[in-house]
Amino acid sequence: MRRDVLDLRRFYASDLGRAARAMVSRKLEEAWGDAAGLDVLAVGYATPFVAPLRDRARRVVAAMPAQQGVEVWPGGEARNLATLTPEDGLPFQNALFDRIVVVHSLEESHDPVAFLREVWRVLAPTGRVIVTVASRNGLWANTEKTPFGHGRPYTRSQLAELLREAELEPAGWTRALYVPPVGWMAGWAEGFEQAGSRLWPGFAGLLLMEAVKQTFAVKPKGTRARVRAARPALAPSPAAAPVSRTPDQPSRRERLAPSRLRS
């Protein structure tokens, strides 16, 4: 069962949630810059991470699964940019978005391949998607005190295989969130991030993988078909064999031609 949107909002208002937002937002900025002039989609509950992109991106919208619920985003007097959607039917046209961020969505999906195929459908041919999941070997996947402790965590090979099954080709990956999921340690998140990436990289809390859309030119396959040739109504007669004659025997023309000499 998915986490409720109210639980997710409370988590990101806490010290640990702010630390997670800072670490993941940094990774997005390293990968995509400020996304100037691009169309960005946040799937699941990814609004805490894409909010900084709104200043330069052409469009930033959020799609939240129906089982989770939706919140008005970005709030205040700004126009709402979030919508409630079934996970297997995003309400957008094909190849619309240049960048897609997936957070708090894949781990609790009832059909991960079908979900990622929808992401593939709305991603532009030159677009990129970053999928963020709880790392199977990290501490965050082993505690239910945070939203990352629910659903299915993934290893790097498992996530890459799942993306390829949905025709998304992995192009890069990284880890984030090395601080233990304990509230009073959130203030040292930056120090844990610097030391953990060098000393114990396998114990990161989150796994981020970037993928690109696979597109193939499909050639039509030729098929054999029987062709029934029309038979002529009258079959041609075989040519007559030439008639041999002796040199002294007159031809038919010679026999029928009147003689010019009279005796």
Side-chain angles (χ1 to χ4, degrees), residues 6 12 18 26-27 39 62 103 109 115 124 133 144-145 148 164 185 199 225 229-230 248 263:
L6 298 179
Y12 283 103
R18 285 190 288 267
R26 178 187 302 171
K27 297 297 183 180
D39 295 322
V103 187
S109 173
F115 165 72
V133 296
E144 297 183 358
K145 295 181 180 180
F148 294 106
R164 290 192 180 99
M185 301 185 73
L199 300 178
D248 295 336
S263 54

Side-chain angles (χ1 to χ4, degrees), residues 49-83:
F49 313 110
V50 299
L53 305 180
R54 293 183 55 241
D55 296 335
R56 299 294 302 277
R58 189 165 74 98
R59 179 190 295 120
V60 180
V61 296
M64 301 186 183
Q67 298 89 341
Q68 166 193 293
V70 66
E71 66 178 0
V72 177
W73 181 79
E77 298 181 358
R79 182 168 57 95
N80 179 48
L81 300 175
T83 181

Side-chain angles (χ1 to χ4, degrees), residues 68-246:
Q68 166 193 293
V70 66
E71 66 178 0
V72 177
W73 181 79
E77 298 181 358
R79 182 168 57 95
N80 179 48
L81 300 175
T83 181
L84 194 68
T85 174
E87 68 176 36
D88 56 352
L90 295 175
F92 307 108
Q93 66 185 37
N94 297 347
L96 180 60
F97 294 99
D98 304 296
R99 301 289 185 269
I100 299 179
V101 184
V102 179
V103 187
H104 297 302
S105 187
L106 186 63
E107 302 98 319
E108 296 178 275
S109 173
H110 69 278
D111 191 342
V113 176
F115 165 72
L116 289 176
R117 284 292 295 173
E118 269 298 286
V119 172
W120 178 94
R121 182 183 64 82
V122 300
L123 183 65
T126 57
R128 292 187 284 172
V129 55
I130 289 182
V131 179
T132 301
V133 296
S135 176
R136 183 175 293 277
N137 298 326
L139 296 177
W140 288 70
N142 297 314
T143 177
E144 297 183 358
K145 295 181 180 180
T146 76
F148 294 106
H150 299 267
R152 297 179 301 274
Y154 289 89
T155 64
R156 180 162 59 96
S157 59
Q158 289 172 340
L159 184 57
E161 182 180 356
L162 187 63
L163 288 169
R164 290 192 180 99
E165 191 172 353
E167 297 187 15
L168 292 164
E169 181 61 30
W173 65 279
T174 188
R175 297 185 177 99
L177 210 57
Y178 290 87
V179 62
V182 180
W184 61 270
M185 301 185 73
W188 295 317
E190 186 62 40
F192 275 98
E193 203 74 10
Q194 299 298 326
S197 60
R198 295 177 175 85
L199 300 178
W200 51 86
F203 292 97
L206 303 182
L207 174 65
L208 295 84
M209 187 165 291
E210 185 179 54
V212 296
K213 185 174 185 176
Q214 290 184 359
T215 55
F216 303 98
V218 180
K219 297 182 178 180
K221 296 181 179 181
T223 57
R224 293 184 177 182
R226 292 178 177 269
V227 178
R228 180 174 296 178
R231 298 182 60 183
L234 298 177
S237 301
V243 179
S244 60
R245 59 184 177 85
T246 60

Side-chain angles (χ1 to χ4, degrees), residues 259-263:
S259 175
R260 295 184 180 180
L261 297 178
R262 293 180 181 271
S263 54

